[in-house]
Every structure is written in structure tokens, then in C-alpha cells.
Amino acid sequence: MKKIELYHGDITRLEVDAVVNAANTTLLGGGGVDGAIHRAAGPQLLAECRTLNGCATGSAKITKGYNLPARFVIHTVGPVWKGGNHGEAEKLASCYRWSLQLAVGNGLKTIAFPNISTGVYHFPKEQAARIALDEVTRFVEQHPEIEKVIFCVFDEENYQIYHHLMS
Ligand code: AR6
């Protein structure tokens, strides 16, 4: 069975141990996938996020999933694209690694990622997809306890990129 899957749709619908949120350093909500996750999880998610004191770019923190079908939310903060010479690639790779490390540390086996930084943070989509696939592939090879990683793509452009890279 393949451990890495592609799903085209809304991450808030996925029944997994954890969905990853593409948050900002405040962890206090925003637009895009962050807004969708907070709306679907309900106000208790924001209440728990307020206790976390934010999160650094490239790092991740975990909360419960509240009204989501997912049991947990892993909030990570992707880099804002500033042309590519500001450590953006390494910071994006770090988001995927930290999120997976948190999942393993909490005994979670199934995890879904959105396309971190490729919305309002403007990271080039194909480069971001290659980084995401490289990091996740390497991690699951080294951590057999992870059973499934889903790349949840929402927009058509990301879907075409992932479909091509994964086939
Ligand atoms: N399910 C899955 N993916 C989604 C959904 C959804 N419901 N909605 C959007 N996407 P973005 P960023 C995809 O802008 O670039 C927020 O305001 C979307 O198609 O959500 O990391 C935060 O608070 C895109 O491919 O996140 C931060 O301030 C991907 O999610 C900032 O945006 C990421 O787009 C983070 O920016």
C-alpha cells in the first residue's frame, strides 16, 4: 500500500489523526486554509491557540481538533516568499519535518498537509511541491510508524503539479 496519497479538496473534511494548518506566527487565525480550519473546528480552537504564545516560522505546535473530524491540528508557519534568497526553501522544508516529528511524538499515524506557503505567502508552487514531497518521502522512509500522509491540494494548479510529480 502506498503511504503517500493525493487528495483534491477541503482539508477540514479529512478523517485523519492530524491535519496541518498553514498558520502565521501569532497562531490566532487568518484567511485561506487557516480560516477554514478555525471555522470548522469552532471557537475552542482559537481559545487553545491563545495559550501557545505563537510559533516561529519553520516550526510547529499541536492542538486538539475540536469539531473537526481530525483529532488534532498541527499548526506550522511557512515562510513568506521574498525572492528565494531568505532561507525560504529551508524554512518550508522545516515546516514539513517539524510537523511530522510532532505527529510521531504524539503517537499519530495519519496526517494531512495543505500546500504550505503557496497561497498568500506566494511561495512558487512547483518548488514548494518538490520540497514537500522530498521531505515527506524521506521522513516516512525513516519512520515506519507513520501509516499515511495525505497531500491535500485545494486549487487546480497545485493539483496538476502534485499529480504530475507523484505519478
Ligand atoms: N483545504 C485545503 N487547502 C486549502 C483550503 C482548504 N479548505 N483553503 C485554501 N487552501 P494559504 P499560506 C490552500 O493562503 O500561503 C493565512 O491567512 C490554498 O489553495 O491558506 O501558507 C494564515 O493565517 C493554498 O494552496 O496559506 C497566514 O497569515 C494553500 O492552502 C497565511 O494565510 C495555502 O494557502 C499563510 O499563507
Side-chain angles (χ1 to χ4, degrees), residues 41-78:
Q44 287 171 293
L45 178 61
L46 181 59
E48 186 175 356
C49 284
R50 286 192 197 284
T51 70
L52 298 177
N53 298 313
C55 183
T57 301
S59 180
K61 292 190 176 178
I62 189 166
T63 66
K64 287 184 274 190
Y66 299 101
N67 296 335
L68 288 168
R71 290 163 55 214
F72 294 91
V73 179
I74 294 172
H75 307 261
T76 190
V77 183

Side-chain angles (χ1 to χ4, degrees), residues 10 35 46 82 86 88 93 114 137 148 167:
D10 183 354
L46 181 59
K82 293 178 183 161
H86 293 79
E88 293 96 328
T137 302
K148 184 166 294 190
S167 58

